[in-house]
Amino acid sequence: MFIEPGSPWENGYVESFNGKLRDELLARELFDTLLEAKVLINEGNNLAPAFAKPQQILSQGKPIRIFMSQVYPGIKEYSHNMGYPFPSYVDWDTDGLPDLMLPNITNRIFWYKNIGTRQQPTFGPRRQVIVDGYPETPASLVATAKLLGAETKQWVKRPPDTKQPFGWRQRASFGDLDGDGRPDLLAGCGYGNYAFYRRTPLEMKDRPKFQLGQIRLAATR
C-alpha cells in the first residue's frame, strides 16, 4: 500500500474488528467529501490477508462523519471543512469490548462506545474525551468557532487555542502507561507537541476522565 511521503494520516489502522483473530483495516483519509469511516474485513488470514469491499462504520444506524462544521457552530462556509480522522479500536471504558476512538482535525477527540459484541460491533452515539479542567460547553464551542473566523468569515486554519487540551489534527495512541489496568492516552498534534493524559482515579465507568501528565523521553541516538 503506497503512503504519500509526509502524509501519515493515510496509514490504515490494523486491528481485529470482528473478533475473528484476523487483522482488519480501519480506513482513513481526508473527510473533505461525504466519505465515511469504513472498515475492510479480512476474509483471508494474517499471513495472506484478503480484504473485502469497504463497509461503512455506523453510529446509531448512520454513517460516522466528522467535519469541522459538524463540531463548531457558525462555520458552515469554513474554507477547510475537513475531518482528517485517525481511528483506533480500543477497550476505552474497560467493559471487555473494543470501542472506536476517533481523533481528527478538530482539537477535540471523539469516541463511540461498542454496544454490540466483539464479533458484531455496534456503536452508540458520539462521545467526547474530556480532560480535567477543560469542560466542554456550548460557550467553549462558540469560543473556538470565533478563533476559526465564525464572526468575521475571515477563516483561519489551526489557530492557537489555549483553552483546549488537545491540538489540531490530533493523533493519539492508547495504552496502560501507568500500570493501573486502564487505558491512558498519548497524543500528538500538527504542531509537533506531545502530551500524556493519565486516567483519573475517580470516574464513572462509562465516562472516563483524564488529567494532563508528564512525558519523559529517553534521548535518541
Side-chain angles (χ1 to χ4, degrees):
M1 181 171 61
F2 176 74
I3 303 299
E4 186 71 26
S7 301
W9 51 83
E10 294 181 1
N11 293 307
Y13 186 87
V14 176
E15 180 59 272
S16 180
F17 189 75
N18 56 7
K20 294 184 179 179
L21 302 180
R22 298 175 303 196
D23 288 340
E24 278 77 40
L25 182 67
L26 284 176
R28 60 176 176 266
E29 236 306 356
L30 308 186
F31 280 14
D32 55 357
T33 64
L34 294 182
L35 296 175
E36 300 88 16
K38 297 180 179 180
V39 61
L40 282 70
I41 299 297
N42 184 1
E43 296 181 337
N45 55 56
N46 290 343
L47 296 179
F51 294 105
K53 292 182 179 180
Q55 300 179 21
Q56 293 180 346
I57 302 176
L58 306 179
S59 168
Q60 298 182 297
K62 298 180 180 180
I64 294 176
R65 297 170 177 170
I66 298 292
F67 296 95
M68 293 283 283
S69 61
Q70 288 179 329
V71 178
Y72 306 113
I75 64 166
K76 290 184 178 180
E77 307 90 349
Y78 187 62
S79 61
H80 200 64
N81 195 21
M82 297 186 181
Y84 288 95
F86 196 82
S88 295
Y89 202 42
V90 180
D91 184 7
W92 191 235
D93 54 4
T94 65
D95 65 351
L97 295 175
D99 307 298
L100 180 64
M101 309 303 300
L102 203 61
N104 55 88
I105 192 174
T106 75
N107 57 352
R108 271 72 168 174
I109 294 180
F110 301 115
W111 70 287
Y112 298 82
K113 178 180 174 63
N114 185 353
I115 57 176
T117 65
R118 181 174 289 273
Q119 289 71 32
Q120 293 183 320
T122 303
F123 299 104
R126 188 178 79 186
R127 304 185 183 199
Q128 186 170 333
V129 175
I130 301 297
V131 178
D132 280 354
Y134 298 90
E136 185 73 285
T137 65
S140 63
L141 291 170
V142 168
T144 300
K146 288 182 179 179
L147 294 175
L148 293 167
E151 289 186 337
T152 64
K153 306 305 179 184
Q154 299 296 316
W155 303 116
V156 180
K157 291 171 60 177
R158 301 188 295 278
D161 190 353
T162 58
K163 295 183 179 181
Q164 293 301 319
F166 302 120
W168 302 99
R169 292 193 184 184
Q170 190 69 67
R171 301 292 180 260
S173 296
F174 308 90
D176 183 8
L177 275 70
D178 55 8
D180 67 353
R182 301 175 302 173
D184 304 300
L185 189 156
L186 186 64
C189 67
Y191 291 123
N193 300 323
Y194 294 88
F196 164 47
Y197 299 83
R198 185 190 303 274
R199 202 68 163 262
T200 60
L202 297 176
E203 61 175 26
M204 295 174 60
K205 186 175 181 62
D206 63 342
R207 295 184 63 184
K209 295 179 63 179
F210 292 83
Q211 295 173 326
L212 277 168
Q214 293 182 341
I215 302 176
R216 294 184 179 180
L217 299 178
T220 57
R221 298 180 180 179

